[in-house]
Amino acid sequence: MTSFDTSPTLTVWRALLAVAVVFVMLATTGWSAIRDQHVNGERELALASWARDRIAGHSLPEVGAPAYRMAHFFATLSSGQQVALAGKYPSVVGNLNGAPVTLRYHANRVALRQAAAEEQVRAHDERLSPDGRGEARARLERFRSMLGGERQILAFDPSGKGRAAEVFGNLDRAARVSVVVPGVDTHLLTLERNKRQYAAPVGMAKSLYGAERSASPGTRTAVIAWADYTAPAGLGMDAALGGLAADGAVRLNAMVGALPGGSKVSLFCHSYGSVVCGVAAHRAPDRVADIAVAGSPGMRAANAGQLETGARIWATRDGDDWIGDVPHMEFGGIGHGADPVDPSFGARIVSAAGAAGHSGYFEPGTESLDNFAAIGVGAYGSVSCASADSTCHSGISGDRES
């Protein structure tokens, strides 16, 4: 007697159900899930090949090796060997903390060209839904933009909605490095915008870089648009929880710790990005001198002391920013704690005059941008406090910490 679990009828129904699931997936995602499986599969193959490969008779280091060990490995290679390795494993080398930054830029250009070629095919694939082809065209346009000029892409991962980081200035020579950490809905398609450009990570970083150069022309500075973490999509439950922030904090600290030279680092954290920075603070490398948050829903702390960092904590919020109406609390893991611009929190509260809402903090001509630039170059005496009593200058004398 045939059991129900092995009956031919059930087998047929299981097959039909599987086909239906695949059909629905393709119709609703435009093959994006299959694309992601393809991208992830390629990366897994690259990682497996890397683990088995050798160069100049030596094994390649583990991808997760500490940055100092990775830097030592690449220092033993000739420039030709470095370029050959980047050409063979662009998706790996382009994201290796400790690899020379100029080599990472090169590797990511190779990876971007490969990703653009794949999206070019998908954009004309009639098997995809109209939405799927539209998404492919949007990604193709983004990748082509990132390939334009001499853009310095420090990190690039096209899987899922994608992650990236871009550098403005010379990281190898910089004495001061600023890192812009953006908030919700950060991914490859929102990396930059033509309209409201200063509300997107690239526009924020480019604006800050220009302001820093104006504030202190003699200071060697670089700014990183760091969109290299998985941010919450919209204002759903992920945005109210700290899980994605915790993962982002690990990635942020790893990136900062691997920066070349002995530059001082300032973190400029917007919206949910301030949650990331708050979680990262207690394990941030010692080179992090300043953490500035704007439009913050909280830093997962009751006060600045709980951040357990030697970095100066700065906070600002425009009067028209809707985030001020969000309850600053934490209960059962939901919410991000106290309001950083509440004087009792203990941050240095600076002016955001002219910012006009939640996304205007990096707009040229605003006091928030001018303050960020002053912090970024260490010109603390130029910072405008939010109140007339200049309490944000406490413990700081002139342009340097006393």
Short mmCIF file of all heavy atoms in Angstrom, two decimals, residues 126-157:
data_model
loop_
_atom_site.label_atom_id
_atom_site.label_comp_id
_atom_site.label_asym_id
_atom_site.label_seq_id
_atom_site.Cartn_x
_atom_site.Cartn_y
_atom_site.Cartn_z
N GLU A 126 13.69 39.68 -21.84
CA GLU A 126 12.23 39.63 -21.89
C GLU A 126 11.64 38.65 -20.89
O GLU A 126 10.42 38.65 -20.65
CB GLU A 126 11.77 39.26 -23.31
CG GLU A 126 12.08 40.33 -24.35
CD GLU A 126 11.36 41.64 -24.06
OE1 GLU A 126 10.25 41.60 -23.48
OE2 GLU A 126 11.92 42.71 -24.37
N ARG A 127 12.44 37.78 -20.32
CA ARG A 127 11.94 36.86 -19.30
C ARG A 127 11.66 37.58 -17.98
O ARG A 127 10.94 37.05 -17.13
CB ARG A 127 12.94 35.73 -19.06
CG ARG A 127 13.16 34.82 -20.27
CD ARG A 127 14.28 33.84 -20.01
NE ARG A 127 15.56 34.54 -19.81
CZ ARG A 127 16.69 33.94 -19.46
NH1 ARG A 127 16.70 32.63 -19.25
NH2 ARG A 127 17.80 34.65 -19.32
N LEU A 128 12.24 38.76 -17.81
CA LEU A 128 12.02 39.54 -16.60
C LEU A 128 10.73 40.33 -16.70
O LEU A 128 10.26 40.66 -17.79
CB LEU A 128 13.19 40.51 -16.37
CG LEU A 128 14.38 39.97 -15.57
CD1 LEU A 128 15.07 38.84 -16.32
CD2 LEU A 128 15.38 41.09 -15.30
N SER A 129 10.17 40.64 -15.56
CA SER A 129 8.99 41.51 -15.52
C SER A 129 9.41 42.93 -15.90
O SER A 129 10.60 43.27 -15.85
CB SER A 129 8.39 41.51 -14.12
OG SER A 129 9.27 42.16 -13.21
N PRO A 130 8.46 43.80 -16.27
CA PRO A 130 8.80 45.20 -16.54
C PRO A 130 9.52 45.84 -15.35
O PRO A 130 10.45 46.62 -15.54
CB PRO A 130 7.45 45.85 -16.82
CG PRO A 130 6.62 44.73 -17.37
CD PRO A 130 7.04 43.51 -16.61
N ASP A 131 9.07 45.53 -14.14
CA ASP A 131 9.72 46.08 -12.96
C ASP A 131 11.16 45.57 -12.85
O ASP A 131 12.06 46.32 -12.46
CB ASP A 131 8.95 45.72 -11.69
CG ASP A 131 7.68 46.54 -11.54
OD1 ASP A 131 7.53 47.54 -12.26
OD2 ASP A 131 6.83 46.16 -10.70
N GLY A 132 11.34 44.31 -13.17
CA GLY A 132 12.68 43.73 -13.11
C GLY A 132 13.63 44.40 -14.09
O GLY A 132 14.78 44.70 -13.76
N ARG A 133 13.13 44.62 -15.33
CA ARG A 133 13.98 45.30 -16.32
C ARG A 133 14.23 46.76 -15.91
O ARG A 133 15.32 47.29 -16.13
CB ARG A 133 13.32 45.24 -17.70
CG ARG A 133 13.28 43.83 -18.29
CD ARG A 133 12.93 43.85 -19.77
NE ARG A 133 11.60 44.39 -20.03
CZ ARG A 133 10.48 43.67 -20.01
NH1 ARG A 133 10.52 42.38 -19.72
NH2 ARG A 133 9.30 44.24 -20.26
N GLY A 134 13.22 47.39 -15.31
CA GLY A 134 13.40 48.76 -14.84
C GLY A 134 14.45 48.85 -13.75
O GLY A 134 15.27 49.78 -13.73
N GLU A 135 14.42 47.89 -12.84
CA GLU A 135 15.43 47.86 -11.78
C GLU A 135 16.82 47.67 -12.38
O GLU A 135 17.78 48.32 -11.96
CB GLU A 135 15.14 46.72 -10.81
CG GLU A 135 16.16 46.62 -9.68
CD GLU A 135 16.07 45.34 -8.90
OE1 GLU A 135 15.41 44.39 -9.38
OE2 GLU A 135 16.66 45.26 -7.82
N ALA A 136 16.91 46.80 -13.38
CA ALA A 136 18.20 46.57 -14.02
C ALA A 136 18.71 47.84 -14.69
O ALA A 136 19.91 48.15 -14.62
CB ALA A 136 18.08 45.45 -15.06
N ARG A 137 17.83 48.59 -15.33
CA ARG A 137 18.25 49.84 -15.97
C ARG A 137 18.73 50.85 -14.92
O ARG A 137 19.71 51.57 -15.13
CB ARG A 137 17.11 50.43 -16.79
CG ARG A 137 16.82 49.67 -18.07
CD ARG A 137 15.88 50.45 -18.97
NE ARG A 137 14.54 50.59 -18.39
CZ ARG A 137 13.56 49.73 -18.56
NH1 ARG A 137 13.75 48.63 -19.30
NH2 ARG A 137 12.37 49.93 -18.00
N ALA A 138 18.03 50.90 -13.78
CA ALA A 138 18.43 51.83 -12.72
C ALA A 138 19.79 51.45 -12.15
O ALA A 138 20.65 52.33 -11.91
CB ALA A 138 17.37 51.84 -11.62
N ARG A 139 20.01 50.17 -11.95
CA ARG A 139 21.30 49.72 -11.43
C ARG A 139 22.41 49.97 -12.46
O ARG A 139 23.52 50.38 -12.10
CB ARG A 139 21.23 48.24 -11.05
CG ARG A 139 20.42 47.98 -9.79
CD ARG A 139 20.13 46.50 -9.59
NE ARG A 139 21.32 45.71 -9.39
CZ ARG A 139 21.87 45.47 -8.21
NH1 ARG A 139 21.34 45.99 -7.10
NH2 ARG A 139 22.94 44.71 -8.11
N LEU A 140 22.10 49.74 -13.73
CA LEU A 140 23.08 50.00 -14.79
C LEU A 140 23.48 51.46 -14.79
O LEU A 140 24.67 51.80 -14.90
CB LEU A 140 22.50 49.59 -16.15
CG LEU A 140 23.36 49.89 -17.38
CD1 LEU A 140 24.70 49.19 -17.29
CD2 LEU A 140 22.61 49.47 -18.65
N GLU A 141 22.51 52.35 -14.69
CA GLU A 141 22.79 53.78 -14.65
C GLU A 141 23.66 54.13 -13.45
O GLU A 141 24.59 54.93 -13.56
CB GLU A 141 21.48 54.57 -14.61
CG GLU A 141 21.68 56.07 -14.59
CD GLU A 141 20.36 56.83 -14.56
OE1 GLU A 141 19.30 56.19 -14.77
OE2 GLU A 141 20.39 58.04 -14.33
N ARG A 142 23.36 53.53 -12.29
CA ARG A 142 24.16 53.80 -11.10
C ARG A 142 25.60 53.32 -11.29
O ARG A 142 26.56 54.03 -10.96
CB ARG A 142 23.53 53.11 -9.88
CG ARG A 142 24.39 53.12 -8.62
CD ARG A 142 24.61 54.54 -8.08
NE ARG A 142 23.36 55.10 -7.65
CZ ARG A 142 22.78 56.15 -8.23
NH1 ARG A 142 23.36 56.75 -9.25
NH2 ARG A 142 21.63 56.63 -7.81
N PHE A 143 25.78 52.11 -11.82
CA PHE A 143 27.13 51.58 -11.99
C PHE A 143 27.92 52.41 -12.99
O PHE A 143 29.12 52.65 -12.81
CB PHE A 143 27.08 50.11 -12.43
CG PHE A 143 26.41 49.20 -11.43
CD1 PHE A 143 25.93 47.95 -11.80
CD2 PHE A 143 26.25 49.57 -10.10
CE1 PHE A 143 25.31 47.11 -10.89
CE2 PHE A 143 25.64 48.75 -9.17
CZ PHE A 143 25.17 47.51 -9.57
N ARG A 144 27.27 52.85 -14.05
CA ARG A 144 27.95 53.69 -15.02
C ARG A 144 28.38 55.01 -14.39
O ARG A 144 29.47 55.53 -14.68
CB ARG A 144 27.04 53.95 -16.23
CG ARG A 144 26.94 52.75 -17.18
CD ARG A 144 25.93 53.02 -18.28
NE ARG A 144 25.96 51.96 -19.30
CZ ARG A 144 25.05 51.85 -20.27
NH1 ARG A 144 24.05 52.73 -20.36
NH2 ARG A 144 25.15 50.87 -21.15
N SER A 145 27.53 55.56 -13.54
CA SER A 145 27.88 56.79 -12.84
C SER A 145 29.10 56.57 -11.95
O SER A 145 30.02 57.40 -11.90
CB SER A 145 26.69 57.29 -12.02
OG SER A 145 27.05 58.39 -11.22
N MET A 146 29.12 55.45 -11.24
CA MET A 146 30.22 55.16 -10.34
C MET A 146 31.52 54.91 -11.09
O MET A 146 32.61 55.06 -10.53
CB MET A 146 29.87 53.95 -9.46
CG MET A 146 28.72 54.21 -8.49
SD MET A 146 28.14 52.72 -7.63
CE MET A 146 29.51 52.43 -6.49
N LEU A 147 31.42 54.54 -12.35
CA LEU A 147 32.60 54.32 -13.19
C LEU A 147 33.09 55.61 -13.84
O LEU A 147 34.17 55.64 -14.43
CB LEU A 147 32.29 53.30 -14.29
CG LEU A 147 32.26 51.83 -13.86
CD1 LEU A 147 31.59 50.97 -14.93
CD2 LEU A 147 33.67 51.33 -13.56
N GLY A 148 32.31 56.68 -13.72
CA GLY A 148 32.66 57.93 -14.39
C GLY A 148 33.83 58.64 -13.73
O GLY A 148 34.04 58.55 -12.52
N GLY A 149 34.62 59.34 -14.53
CA GLY A 149 35.72 60.14 -14.02
C GLY A 149 36.73 59.31 -13.26
O GLY A 149 37.04 58.18 -13.62
N GLU A 150 37.25 59.91 -12.19
CA GLU A 150 38.25 59.23 -11.37
C GLU A 150 37.69 58.93 -9.98
O GLU A 150 38.38 59.09 -8.97
CB GLU A 150 39.50 60.10 -11.25
CG GLU A 150 40.19 60.41 -12.57
CD GLU A 150 40.73 59.15 -13.24
OE1 GLU A 150 41.19 58.24 -12.51
OE2 GLU A 150 40.69 59.08 -14.48
N ARG A 151 36.44 58.48 -9.93
CA ARG A 151 35.82 58.22 -8.65
C ARG A 151 36.54 57.11 -7.90
O ARG A 151 36.99 56.13 -8.50
CB ARG A 151 34.33 57.89 -8.83
CG ARG A 151 33.55 59.08 -9.38
CD ARG A 151 32.08 58.78 -9.56
NE ARG A 151 31.39 58.57 -8.29
CZ ARG A 151 30.08 58.52 -8.16
NH1 ARG A 151 29.30 58.66 -9.23
NH2 ARG A 151 29.51 58.34 -6.98
N GLN A 152 36.66 57.29 -6.58
CA GLN A 152 37.43 56.39 -5.73
C GLN A 152 36.47 55.55 -4.90
O GLN A 152 36.03 55.95 -3.82
CB GLN A 152 38.36 57.21 -4.83
CG GLN A 152 39.33 58.08 -5.63
CD GLN A 152 40.19 58.97 -4.74
OE1 GLN A 152 41.38 59.12 -4.98
NE2 GLN A 152 39.60 59.57 -3.71
N ILE A 153 36.15 54.37 -5.41
CA ILE A 153 35.19 53.47 -4.75
C ILE A 153 35.96 52.54 -3.82
O ILE A 153 36.70 51.66 -4.26
CB ILE A 153 34.37 52.69 -5.78
CG1 ILE A 153 33.71 53.64 -6.78
CG2 ILE A 153 33.32 51.84 -5.06
CD1 ILE A 153 32.79 54.68 -6.16
N LEU A 154 35.76 52.74 -2.53
CA LEU A 154 36.51 51.98 -1.53
C LEU A 154 35.89 50.62 -1.24
O LEU A 154 36.59 49.69 -0.82
CB LEU A 154 36.59 52.79 -0.23
CG LEU A 154 37.42 52.21 0.91
CD1 LEU A 154 38.90 52.18 0.55
CD2 LEU A 154 37.20 53.01 2.20
N ALA A 155 34.59 50.49 -1.46
CA ALA A 155 33.89 49.22 -1.23
C ALA A 155 32.73 49.13 -2.22
O ALA A 155 32.11 50.15 -2.54
CB ALA A 155 33.38 49.13 0.21
N PHE A 156 32.45 47.91 -2.67
CA PHE A 156 31.36 47.71 -3.62
C PHE A 156 30.87 46.28 -3.53
O PHE A 156 31.64 45.33 -3.68
CB PHE A 156 31.82 48.01 -5.05
CG PHE A 156 30.80 47.65 -6.10
CD1 PHE A 156 29.59 48.32 -6.17
CD2 PHE A 156 31.05 46.63 -7.01
CE1 PHE A 156 28.65 47.99 -7.13
CE2 PHE A 156 30.12 46.30 -7.98
CZ PHE A 156 28.91 46.97 -8.04
N ASP A 157 29.57 46.14 -3.27
CA ASP A 157 28.94 44.82 -3.21
C ASP A 157 27.55 44.95 -3.84
O ASP A 157 26.66 45.57 -3.27
CB ASP A 157 28.81 44.35 -1.76
CG ASP A 157 28.15 42.97 -1.63
OD1 ASP A 157 27.72 42.42 -2.67
OD2 ASP A 157 28.05 42.47 -0.50
#
